[in-house]
Amino acid sequence: MIEELMTSRILILGCGNTLFGDDGFGPAVIQALEDEELPAGCAALDVGTSVSELLFDLVLQSSKPERIVLVDAVSLPERDPGRVEWLPLASIPQCKKADFSMHQFPSIDLLQELVSQAGVDVRVLAVQAECIPECVRPGLSGSIQAAVPTACRMIRSVLEPGGS
């Protein structure tokens, strides 16, 4: 994992805790991507709940990836469960900036630093969660499990240079 972190042109980071329902979306997407052949220079990593530590390492290292794709589940108002969308960093609601389920963000500050100081193209791919329970309950809900292939297609569309 360390070598991929230090040498990959594109990092796809699946965030979430598989023990808490739909919060396991990021790891599920990474697992699905591992079954496919990714282009050279791309690495898909299940970072669980440790994305902040990993982003801190990326900020400090001399070479940076060109692009980082974070995959996570969110709970935003007026969205249907299973909806997968790209969220611009600037659109993350103020109430979520402290906990954006990318796991106790100040991670958002680290992401913004990677964008502004190092020119890294950071993208957040989020699914609208159906249920993130307060106690341990592994397994994705049906609508979130069905969203995994959609997320994989959306990620694949941005893997090549110039991918939008």
Side-chain angles (χ1 to χ4, degrees):
M1 180 164 145
I2 297 297
E3 182 178 339
E4 291 170 319
L5 177 66
M6 301 298 218
T7 61
S8 294
R9 183 176 55 81
I10 297 176
L11 290 176
I12 307 158
L13 306 176
C15 306
N17 189 333
T18 59
L19 297 176
F20 290 90
D22 293 345
D23 196 41
F25 178 73
V29 170
I30 297 304
Q31 185 175 12
L33 288 171
E34 288 173 346
D35 293 338
E36 304 176 14
E37 186 173 336
L38 295 175
C42 297
L45 306 169
D46 175 356
V47 297
T49 59
S50 62
V51 72
S52 291
E53 293 85 355
L54 189 135
L55 292 174
F56 187 71
D57 290 344
L58 284 173
V59 166
L60 294 177
Q61 77 182 30
S62 58
S63 67
K64 313 254 189 297
E66 294 171 20
R67 179 172 293 156
I68 297 172
V69 177
L70 291 134
V71 186
D72 203 359
V74 296
S75 294
L76 297 172
E78 301 179 22
R79 286 182 169 78
D80 294 327
R83 176 177 169 179
V84 182
E85 63 185 307
W86 295 106
L87 293 180
L89 290 179
S91 76
I92 295 171
Q94 191 64 34
C95 66
K96 297 300 285 174
K97 288 188 178 180
D99 69 354
F100 183 60
S101 200
M102 273 185 225
H103 311 275
Q104 286 60 38
F105 255 34
S107 297
I108 192 126
D109 297 332
L110 295 170
L111 291 171
Q112 289 171 333
E113 173 130 351
L114 286 165
V115 171
S116 65
Q117 300 300 318
V120 177
D121 178 15
V122 174
R123 308 208 181 182
V124 178
L125 185 64
V127 70
Q128 177 65 29
E130 186 173 317
C131 179
I132 299 177
E134 292 186 21
C135 58
V136 173
R137 193 176 80 214
L140 300 177
S141 59
S143 62
I144 305 310
Q145 184 64 49
V148 170
T150 299
C152 290
R153 280 191 302 278
M154 292 173 74
I155 290 167
R156 283 184 119 357
S157 76
V158 300
L159 293 185
E160 297 300 330
S164 55

